Coordinates of all heavy atoms in Angstrom, one line a residue:
N15 N 213.1 53.6 229.9 CA 214.5 54.1 230.2 C 215.4 54.0 229.0 O 216.2 55.0 228.7 CB 215.1 53.4 231.4 CG 214.4 53.8 232.7 OD1 213.9 54.9 232.9 ND2 214.4 52.9 233.7
R16 N 215.3 52.9 228.3 CA 216.1 52.8 227.1 C 215.7 53.8 226.0 O 216.6 54.3 225.3 CB 216.0 51.3 226.6 CG 217.4 50.8 226.2 CD 217.3 49.3 225.9 NE 217.4 49.2 224.5 CZ 216.6 48.4 223.7 NH1 215.7 47.7 224.2 NH2 216.8 48.4 222.4
M17 N 214.4 53.9 225.9 CA 213.9 54.9 224.9 C 214.5 56.3 225.2 O 214.9 57.0 224.3 CB 212.4 55.0 224.9 CG 211.6 54.0 224.2 SD 209.8 54.2 224.3 CE 209.6 55.8 223.6
R18 N 214.4 56.7 226.4 CA 215.0 58.0 226.8 C 216.4 58.1 226.5 O 216.8 59.1 225.9 CB 214.8 58.2 228.3 CG 215.3 59.5 228.9 CD 215.1 59.5 230.4 NE 215.5 60.8 230.9 CZ 216.7 61.3 231.1 NH1 217.7 60.6 230.8 NH2 216.9 62.5 231.5
D19 N 217.2 57.1 226.8 CA 218.6 57.2 226.5 C 218.9 57.3 225.0 O 219.7 58.1 224.5 CB 219.4 55.9 227.0 CG 219.4 55.9 228.5 OD1 219.2 57.0 229.2 OD2 219.7 54.8 229.1
V20 N 218.2 56.5 224.2 CA 218.3 56.5 222.7 C 217.9 57.9 222.2 O 218.6 58.5 221.4 CB 217.6 55.4 222.1 CG1 217.5 55.6 220.5 CG2 218.2 54.0 222.4
L21 N 216.8 58.4 222.6 CA 216.2 59.6 222.1 C 217.2 60.8 222.4 O 217.5 61.6 221.5 CB 214.9 59.9 222.7 CG 214.2 61.2 222.1 CD1 212.8 60.8 221.7 CD2 214.2 62.3 223.1
L22 N 217.7 60.8 223.6 CA 218.6 61.9 224.0 C 219.9 61.8 223.3 O 220.5 62.8 222.9 CB 218.7 62.0 225.5 CG 217.5 62.4 226.3 CD1 217.7 62.3 227.8 CD2 216.9 63.7 225.9
N23 N 220.5 60.6 223.2 CA 221.8 60.4 222.5 C 221.7 60.7 221.1 O 222.6 61.4 220.5 CB 222.3 59.0 222.8 CG 222.8 58.8 224.2 OD1 223.2 59.8 224.9 ND2 222.7 57.6 224.7
K24 N 220.6 60.3 220.4 CA 220.4 60.6 219.0 C 220.2 62.1 218.8 O 220.7 62.7 217.8 CB 219.3 59.8 218.4 CG 219.7 58.4 218.0 CD 218.6 57.7 217.2 CE 219.0 56.4 216.8 NZ 218.0 55.7 215.9
G25 N 219.5 62.7 219.7 CA 219.3 64.2 219.7 C 220.6 64.9 219.7 O 220.8 66.0 219.0
D26 N 221.6 64.4 220.4 CA 222.9 65.1 220.5 C 223.6 65.0 219.1 O 224.3 65.9 218.7 CB 223.8 64.4 221.5 CG 223.4 64.7 223.0 OD1 222.7 65.7 223.2 OD2 223.8 63.9 223.8
D27 N 223.3 63.9 218.4 CA 223.9 63.7 217.1 C 223.2 64.5 216.0 O 223.8 65.0 215.0 CB 223.9 62.3 216.7 CG 224.9 61.4 217.5 OD1 225.8 62.0 218.1 OD2 224.7 60.2 217.5
Y28 N 221.9 64.7 216.1 CA 221.1 65.2 215.0 C 220.7 66.6 215.2 O 220.2 67.3 214.2 CB 219.8 64.4 214.8 CG 220.0 63.0 214.2 CD1 220.2 61.9 215.0 CD2 220.0 62.9 212.8 CE1 220.4 60.6 214.4 CE2 220.1 61.7 212.2 CZ 220.4 60.5 213.0 OH 220.5 59.3 212.4
R33 N 216.1 70.5 220.4 CA 216.1 69.1 220.0 C 215.2 68.8 218.8 O 215.4 67.7 218.2 CB 215.5 68.3 221.2 CG 216.4 68.2 222.4 CD 217.6 67.4 222.1 NE 218.3 67.0 223.3 CZ 219.3 66.2 223.4 NH1 219.7 65.6 222.3 NH2 219.8 65.9 224.5
M83 N 211.7 50.7 218.6 CA 212.1 51.8 219.5 C 212.1 53.1 218.7 O 211.6 54.1 219.3 CB 213.5 51.5 220.1 CG 213.9 52.7 221.0 SD 214.8 52.3 222.5 CE 214.2 50.9 223.1
A86 N 208.6 54.3 218.3 CA 208.0 54.8 219.6 C 208.6 56.2 219.9 O 207.9 57.1 220.3 CB 208.3 53.9 220.7
N87 N 209.9 56.4 219.6 CA 210.5 57.7 219.8 C 210.0 58.8 218.8 O 209.9 59.9 219.2 CB 212.1 57.6 219.8 CG 212.6 57.2 221.2 OD1 212.0 57.4 222.2 ND2 213.8 56.6 221.2
Y88 N 209.8 58.4 217.6 CA 209.3 59.3 216.6 C 207.9 59.8 217.1 O 207.6 61.0 216.9 CB 209.2 58.7 215.2 CG 210.5 58.7 214.5 CD1 210.9 57.6 213.7 CD2 211.4 59.8 214.5 CE1 212.1 57.5 213.0 CE2 212.6 59.7 213.8 CZ 212.9 58.6 213.1 OH 214.1 58.6 212.4
L90 N 206.8 60.0 220.1 CA 207.0 60.9 221.2 C 207.5 62.3 220.7 O 207.1 63.3 221.2 CB 208.0 60.3 222.2 CG 208.4 61.1 223.4 CD1 207.1 61.4 224.3 CD2 209.4 60.4 224.3
L91 N 208.4 62.3 219.7 CA 208.9 63.5 219.2 C 207.8 64.3 218.5 O 207.7 65.5 218.6 CB 210.1 63.2 218.2 CG 211.4 62.8 218.8 CD1 212.3 62.2 217.8 CD2 212.1 64.1 219.5
M94 N 206.0 66.1 221.0 CA 206.7 67.3 221.5 C 206.6 68.4 220.5 O 206.4 69.6 220.8 CB 208.2 67.0 221.6 CG 208.6 66.1 222.8 SD 210.3 65.8 222.7 CE 210.5 64.5 223.9

Side-chain angles (χ1 to χ4, degrees):
N15 287 333
R16 225 172 103 228
M17 277 180 61
R18 180 184 186 282
D19 290 344
V20 167
L21 186 130
L22 294 177
N23 288 332
K24 281 190 174 184
D26 289 340
D27 291 340
Y28 286 92
R33 292 289 196 176
M83 176 147 321
N87 275 335
Y88 282 138
L90 182 59
L91 287 163
M94 289 179 194

